[in-house]
Amino acid sequence: MSGPEKKTGRERGEEWWQTDIIEMRPGVIRLRGYEIQDLIGRVSFPAMIWLMLRGELPSEDQAALLGIALGAAVDHGPQAPSIAIARMAATCGVGINSAMASAINVLGDVHGGAGEQALSFYGDIAVAIDAGITLNEAVSARLDRFFAEEEGYVPGLGHRFHPVDPRAPRLLELTREFAARGVVNGRFADIAEAIEAEVAWRKGKKIPLNIDGATAVIYGELGFPPPLTRGLFVLSRSVGILAHAWEQSQQGERNKGPLPREWLWAYTGTPVRPFPEGGDTNE
């Protein structure tokens, strides 16, 4: 019995970066099977994102709701670390791409990852509901586990700057409108609002849904898995990062640090001390 047929170099090369996303050769570009010239002018940017990630074109309503979530989180000002970093990088004389990369690289678990965490949290509750318990029971059980086993804040709730994040109520309102038309089913909106209510009851005060929790609702309603929620946030915030990097590059300032130069950091180390006599530090 002969072994497997040996593949040619060309076959090995074609397999090396095999992909379902794009087909390309001289004069041909196809995305998920669609000719690029057929997509241009007919497909919106949110719809193109959907096609690239999901493999099929969304409905107009699905693309619209995705665009709403993406548009809501584009910027939060220079007090957001990613935006501040983009602006500082621009003052160091780097190009737009380097300023954007510097900013995007800090969008991690703490700054940028809360949407992914919120959608995972919602997903745990959805699984419990599918197993046969009620929404309120599922929310209560997941919060019990969170407070017993995990640290930090319930993902998707509260904001260090806004008493009420002005973006979240509007996003929930629009999600409900799309649900009423049958575009989504409203399940994740129900879960998020039930979490907000249960936490308010336990804490004795309302801790409102924030942008991460609200966009996680929309991404969940549209069927995106949690890890892609972080990627979608990066896409969204990149718009603000680009705008701030460009604006800063036009202002001509050099090496602009995180604080005005008259405000220095607090030094907490050893007080001033004399160097040992004779320079011998081993005595």
Side-chain angles (χ1 to χ4, degrees):
M1 225 177 133
S2 62
E5 184 178 340
K6 187 174 181 180
K7 295 180 180 177
T8 68
R10 176 173 178 173
E11 288 171 333
R12 285 283 293 134
E14 289 173 345
E15 287 181 352
W16 189 255
W17 290 119
Q18 61 182 322
T19 176
D20 293 337
I21 298 170
I22 184 170
E23 179 185 1
M24 190 187 70
R25 58 180 183 271
V28 174
I29 302 173
R30 296 190 183 104
L31 299 176
R32 300 290 192 177
Y34 292 104
E35 302 281 1
I36 188 65
Q37 60 268 30
D38 293 338
L39 296 171
I40 293 171
R42 295 190 178 110
V43 174
S44 68
F45 188 47
M48 185 65 82
I49 293 169
W50 184 295
L51 174 64
M52 293 291 283
L53 295 177
R54 307 280 285 271
E56 299 294 338
L57 286 169
S59 69
E60 289 187 11
D61 280 337
Q62 287 172 325
L65 186 55
L66 175 59
I68 285 168
L70 291 168
V74 294
D75 193 12
H76 200 242
Q79 59 85 37
S82 55
I83 301 297
I85 287 168
R87 299 191 73 116
M88 285 192 292
T91 70
C92 295
V94 302
I96 287 288
N97 60 316
S98 295
M100 292 184 70
S102 298
I104 289 168
N105 279 336
V106 302
L107 294 175
D109 288 341
V110 175
H111 176 43
E116 177 182 352
Q117 295 153 14
L119 186 51
S120 293
F121 201 90
Y122 301 163
D124 291 343
I125 293 167
V127 168
I129 294 169
D130 289 341
I133 68 174
T134 68
L135 169 61
N136 289 336
E137 289 171 338
V139 167
S140 181
R142 183 63 183 89
L143 285 171
D144 284 343
R145 192 162 85 250
F146 177 83
F147 289 123
E149 301 174 1
E150 303 174 48
E151 297 181 356
Y153 305 99
V154 176
L157 298 185
H159 201 286
R160 66 189 181 92
F161 188 82
H162 303 290
V164 176
D165 189 328
R167 301 163 291 188
R170 177 60 175 158
L171 289 173
L172 264 290
E173 177 188 11
L174 288 167
T175 302
R176 294 297 188 191
E177 290 180 10
F178 278 78
R181 301 206 308 271
V183 180
V184 294
N185 63 28
R187 184 187 202 193
F188 286 91
D190 291 340
I191 290 171
E193 290 181 342
I195 293 169
E196 186 183 61
E198 178 68 15
V199 170
W201 181 81
R202 294 186 183 211
K203 298 286 188 181
K205 63 177 182 178
K206 185 175 181 179
I207 304 175
L209 202 68
N210 60 30
I211 181 66
D212 301 302
T215 51
V217 164
I218 292 178
Y219 296 142
E221 295 283 354
L222 292 174
F224 287 95
L228 276 183
T229 299
R230 186 181 306 213
L232 290 168
F233 175 78
V234 172
L235 281 177
S236 173
R237 186 52 58 88
S238 292
V239 178
I241 288 169
L242 172 60
H244 281 273
W246 175 248
E247 180 183 65
Q248 189 65 59
S249 72
Q250 301 307 294
Q251 293 178 359
E253 294 172 285
R254 294 169 57 86
N255 296 330
K256 187 174 183 179
L259 291 171
R261 66 186 65 187
E262 65 271 19
W263 292 354
L264 298 179
W265 59 93
Y267 174 67
T268 57
T270 305
V272 62
R273 51 183 168 173
F275 192 76
E277 287 291 332
D280 188 351
T281 59
N282 294 319
E283 290 183 3

mmCIF file of all heavy atoms in Angstrom, residues 89-118:
data_model
loop_
_atom_site.group_PDB
_atom_site.id
_atom_site.type_symbol
_atom_site.label_atom_id
_atom_site.label_comp_id
_atom_site.label_asym_id
_atom_site.label_seq_id
_atom_site.Cartn_x
_atom_site.Cartn_y
_atom_site.Cartn_z
ATOM 1 N N ALA A 89 1.277 59.998 20.919
ATOM 2 C CA ALA A 89 2.100 59.392 19.874
ATOM 3 C C ALA A 89 2.253 60.343 18.692
ATOM 4 O O ALA A 89 3.346 60.458 18.108
ATOM 5 C CB ALA A 89 1.486 58.072 19.424
ATOM 6 N N ALA A 90 1.180 61.036 18.341
ATOM 7 C CA ALA A 90 1.243 61.970 17.214
ATOM 8 C C ALA A 90 2.237 63.092 17.480
ATOM 9 O O ALA A 90 2.919 63.562 16.557
ATOM 10 C CB ALA A 90 -0.137 62.539 16.922
ATOM 11 N N THR A 91 2.346 63.526 18.739
ATOM 12 C CA THR A 91 3.294 64.604 19.056
ATOM 13 C C THR A 91 4.738 64.128 19.032
ATOM 14 O O THR A 91 5.660 64.945 19.073
ATOM 15 C CB THR A 91 3.001 65.238 20.439
ATOM 16 O OG1 THR A 91 3.337 64.312 21.478
ATOM 17 C CG2 THR A 91 1.556 65.661 20.566
ATOM 18 N N CYS A 92 4.951 62.815 18.998
ATOM 19 C CA CYS A 92 6.309 62.274 18.917
ATOM 20 C C CYS A 92 6.797 62.173 17.478
ATOM 21 O O CYS A 92 7.918 61.704 17.228
ATOM 22 C CB CYS A 92 6.371 60.902 19.579
ATOM 23 S SG CYS A 92 6.059 60.955 21.358
ATOM 24 N N GLY A 93 5.967 62.587 16.534
ATOM 25 C CA GLY A 93 6.386 62.626 15.144
ATOM 26 C C GLY A 93 6.148 61.347 14.367
ATOM 27 O O GLY A 93 6.625 61.220 13.237
ATOM 28 N N VAL A 94 5.388 60.394 14.954
ATOM 29 C CA VAL A 94 5.111 59.165 14.210
ATOM 30 C C VAL A 94 3.957 59.414 13.240
ATOM 31 O O VAL A 94 3.230 60.402 13.337
ATOM 32 C CB VAL A 94 4.750 58.008 15.171
ATOM 33 C CG1 VAL A 94 5.879 57.765 16.146
ATOM 34 C CG2 VAL A 94 3.452 58.280 15.927
ATOM 35 N N GLY A 95 3.782 58.519 12.298
ATOM 36 C CA GLY A 95 2.697 58.646 11.339
ATOM 37 C C GLY A 95 1.358 58.226 11.918
ATOM 38 O O GLY A 95 1.272 57.698 13.032
ATOM 39 N N ILE A 96 0.300 58.455 11.149
ATOM 40 C CA ILE A 96 -1.056 58.125 11.584
ATOM 41 C C ILE A 96 -1.168 56.650 11.953
ATOM 42 O O ILE A 96 -1.776 56.293 12.967
ATOM 43 C CB ILE A 96 -2.072 58.464 10.467
ATOM 44 C CG1 ILE A 96 -2.258 59.978 10.349
ATOM 45 C CG2 ILE A 96 -3.416 57.790 10.717
ATOM 46 C CD1 ILE A 96 -3.036 60.605 11.490
ATOM 47 N N ASN A 97 -0.582 55.778 11.130
ATOM 48 C CA ASN A 97 -0.725 54.345 11.412
ATOM 49 C C ASN A 97 -0.077 53.972 12.740
ATOM 50 O O ASN A 97 -0.618 53.170 13.514
ATOM 51 C CB ASN A 97 -0.140 53.504 10.268
ATOM 52 C CG ASN A 97 1.335 53.772 10.039
ATOM 53 O OD1 ASN A 97 1.758 54.927 10.034
ATOM 54 N ND2 ASN A 97 2.122 52.728 9.840
ATOM 55 N N SER A 98 1.082 54.552 13.042
ATOM 56 C CA SER A 98 1.763 54.243 14.306
ATOM 57 C C SER A 98 0.999 54.813 15.497
ATOM 58 O O SER A 98 0.922 54.176 16.556
ATOM 59 C CB SER A 98 3.185 54.803 14.293
ATOM 60 O OG SER A 98 3.962 54.151 13.308
ATOM 61 N N ALA A 99 0.442 56.006 15.339
ATOM 62 C CA ALA A 99 -0.354 56.587 16.419
ATOM 63 C C ALA A 99 -1.583 55.721 16.690
ATOM 64 O O ALA A 99 -1.945 55.471 17.850
ATOM 65 C CB ALA A 99 -0.778 58.008 16.059
ATOM 66 N N MET A 100 -2.221 55.239 15.617
ATOM 67 C CA MET A 100 -3.396 54.385 15.791
ATOM 68 C C MET A 100 -3.014 53.048 16.413
ATOM 69 O O MET A 100 -3.701 52.546 17.312
ATOM 70 C CB MET A 100 -4.088 54.162 14.449
ATOM 71 C CG MET A 100 -4.728 55.415 13.874
ATOM 72 S SD MET A 100 -5.623 55.086 12.341
ATOM 73 C CE MET A 100 -7.023 54.134 12.964
ATOM 74 N N ALA A 101 -1.912 52.473 15.963
ATOM 75 C CA ALA A 101 -1.484 51.188 16.518
ATOM 76 C C ALA A 101 -1.149 51.311 17.998
ATOM 77 O O ALA A 101 -1.489 50.426 18.800
ATOM 78 C CB ALA A 101 -0.277 50.664 15.743
ATOM 79 N N SER A 102 -0.487 52.404 18.377
ATOM 80 C CA SER A 102 -0.162 52.620 19.785
ATOM 81 C C SER A 102 -1.422 52.641 20.629
ATOM 82 O O SER A 102 -1.473 52.067 21.723
ATOM 83 C CB SER A 102 0.598 53.937 19.950
ATOM 84 O OG SER A 102 1.821 53.914 19.250
ATOM 85 N N ALA A 103 -2.455 53.302 20.131
ATOM 86 C CA ALA A 103 -3.712 53.407 20.872
ATOM 87 C C ALA A 103 -4.451 52.076 20.925
ATOM 88 O O ALA A 103 -4.939 51.651 21.984
ATOM 89 C CB ALA A 103 -4.592 54.468 20.228
ATOM 90 N N ILE A 104 -4.537 51.404 19.794
ATOM 91 C CA ILE A 104 -5.278 50.143 19.729
ATOM 92 C C ILE A 104 -4.648 49.088 20.630
ATOM 93 O O ILE A 104 -5.344 48.257 21.227
ATOM 94 C CB ILE A 104 -5.355 49.658 18.272
ATOM 95 C CG1 ILE A 104 -6.294 50.573 17.474
ATOM 96 C CG2 ILE A 104 -5.830 48.210 18.189
ATOM 97 C CD1 ILE A 104 -6.240 50.370 15.976
ATOM 98 N N ASN A 105 -3.327 49.151 20.784
ATOM 99 C CA ASN A 105 -2.640 48.142 21.587
ATOM 100 C C ASN A 105 -2.983 48.197 23.066
ATOM 101 O O ASN A 105 -2.669 47.247 23.801
ATOM 102 C CB ASN A 105 -1.129 48.266 21.404
ATOM 103 C CG ASN A 105 -0.653 47.584 20.140
ATOM 104 O OD1 ASN A 105 -1.292 46.677 19.633
ATOM 105 N ND2 ASN A 105 0.483 48.028 19.621
ATOM 106 N N VAL A 106 -3.599 49.267 23.548
ATOM 107 C CA VAL A 106 -3.982 49.320 24.971
ATOM 108 C C VAL A 106 -5.442 48.956 25.191
ATOM 109 O O VAL A 106 -5.931 49.002 26.322
ATOM 110 C CB VAL A 106 -3.688 50.702 25.599
ATOM 111 C CG1 VAL A 106 -2.217 51.042 25.465
ATOM 112 C CG2 VAL A 106 -4.560 51.795 25.024
ATOM 113 N N LEU A 107 -6.151 48.589 24.142
ATOM 114 C CA LEU A 107 -7.553 48.189 24.296
ATOM 115 C C LEU A 107 -7.593 46.737 24.761
ATOM 116 O O LEU A 107 -7.789 45.806 23.985
ATOM 117 C CB LEU A 107 -8.310 48.388 22.978
ATOM 118 C CG LEU A 107 -8.446 49.848 22.536
ATOM 119 C CD1 LEU A 107 -9.098 49.934 21.164
ATOM 120 C CD2 LEU A 107 -9.251 50.652 23.555
ATOM 121 N N GLY A 108 -7.380 46.561 26.057
ATOM 122 C CA GLY A 108 -7.302 45.224 26.640
ATOM 123 C C GLY A 108 -8.475 44.922 27.542
ATOM 124 O O GLY A 108 -9.580 45.442 27.368
ATOM 125 N N ASP A 109 -8.241 44.081 28.540
ATOM 126 C CA ASP A 109 -9.323 43.641 29.422
ATOM 127 C C ASP A 109 -9.940 44.787 30.208
ATOM 128 O O ASP A 109 -11.146 44.809 30.448
ATOM 129 C CB ASP A 109 -8.803 42.586 30.404
ATOM 130 C CG ASP A 109 -8.530 41.252 29.725
ATOM 131 O OD1 ASP A 109 -9.058 41.036 28.622
ATOM 132 O OD2 ASP A 109 -7.799 40.431 30.308
ATOM 133 N N VAL A 110 -9.124 45.759 30.627
ATOM 134 C CA VAL A 110 -9.621 46.844 31.457
ATOM 135 C C VAL A 110 -10.214 47.964 30.616
ATOM 136 O O VAL A 110 -11.305 48.468 30.899
ATOM 137 C CB VAL A 110 -8.499 47.391 32.365
ATOM 138 C CG1 VAL A 110 -8.983 48.609 33.150
ATOM 139 C CG2 VAL A 110 -8.027 46.303 33.334
ATOM 140 N N HIS A 111 -9.515 48.374 29.575
ATOM 141 C CA HIS A 111 -9.976 49.447 28.702
ATOM 142 C C HIS A 111 -10.259 48.859 27.328
ATOM 143 O O HIS A 111 -9.357 48.698 26.512
ATOM 144 C CB HIS A 111 -8.902 50.534 28.606
ATOM 145 C CG HIS A 111 -9.226 51.648 27.649
ATOM 146 N ND1 HIS A 111 -10.462 52.224 27.554
ATOM 147 C CD2 HIS A 111 -8.441 52.293 26.736
ATOM 148 C CE1 HIS A 111 -10.440 53.177 26.626
ATOM 149 N NE2 HIS A 111 -9.226 53.229 26.108
ATOM 150 N N GLY A 112 -11.510 48.474 27.116
ATOM 151 C CA GLY A 112 -11.890 47.929 25.820
ATOM 152 C C GLY A 112 -12.468 46.531 25.857
ATOM 153 O O GLY A 112 -13.081 46.094 24.883
ATOM 154 N N GLY A 113 -12.277 45.813 26.956
ATOM 155 C CA GLY A 113 -12.728 44.431 27.007
ATOM 156 C C GLY A 113 -14.051 44.203 27.704
ATOM 157 O O GLY A 113 -14.541 43.068 27.749
ATOM 158 N N ALA A 114 -14.652 45.262 28.260
ATOM 159 C CA ALA A 114 -15.859 45.069 29.064
ATOM 160 C C ALA A 114 -17.044 44.579 28.235
ATOM 161 O O ALA A 114 -17.920 43.881 28.746
ATOM 162 C CB ALA A 114 -16.225 46.362 29.793
ATOM 163 N N GLY A 115 -17.093 44.956 26.965
ATOM 164 C CA GLY A 115 -18.193 44.481 26.126
ATOM 165 C C GLY A 115 -18.145 42.970 25.949
ATOM 166 O O GLY A 115 -19.179 42.290 26.033
ATOM 167 N N GLU A 116 -16.962 42.448 25.703
ATOM 168 C CA GLU A 116 -16.793 40.998 25.599
ATOM 169 C C GLU A 116 -17.192 40.320 26.910
ATOM 170 O O GLU A 116 -17.905 39.298 26.918
ATOM 171 C CB GLU A 116 -15.351 40.664 25.259
ATOM 172 C CG GLU A 116 -15.068 39.170 25.195
ATOM 173 C CD GLU A 116 -13.606 38.847 24.897
ATOM 174 O OE1 GLU A 116 -12.837 39.778 24.593
ATOM 175 O OE2 GLU A 116 -13.259 37.659 24.966
ATOM 176 N N GLN A 117 -16.752 40.892 28.028
ATOM 177 C CA GLN A 117 -17.082 40.319 29.332
ATOM 178 C C GLN A 117 -18.584 40.364 29.593
ATOM 179 O O GLN A 117 -19.163 39.409 30.126
ATOM 180 C CB GLN A 117 -16.318 41.074 30.418
ATOM 181 C CG GLN A 117 -14.810 40.918 30.322
ATOM 182 C CD GLN A 117 -14.042 42.092 30.920
ATOM 183 O OE1 GLN A 117 -14.613 42.914 31.640
ATOM 184 N NE2 GLN A 117 -12.766 42.186 30.614
ATOM 185 N N ALA A 118 -19.224 41.474 29.206
ATOM 186 C CA ALA A 118 -20.668 41.602 29.416
ATOM 187 C C ALA A 118 -21.429 40.575 28.588
ATOM 188 O O ALA A 118 -22.370 39.926 29.088
ATOM 189 C CB ALA A 118 -21.130 43.016 29.067
#
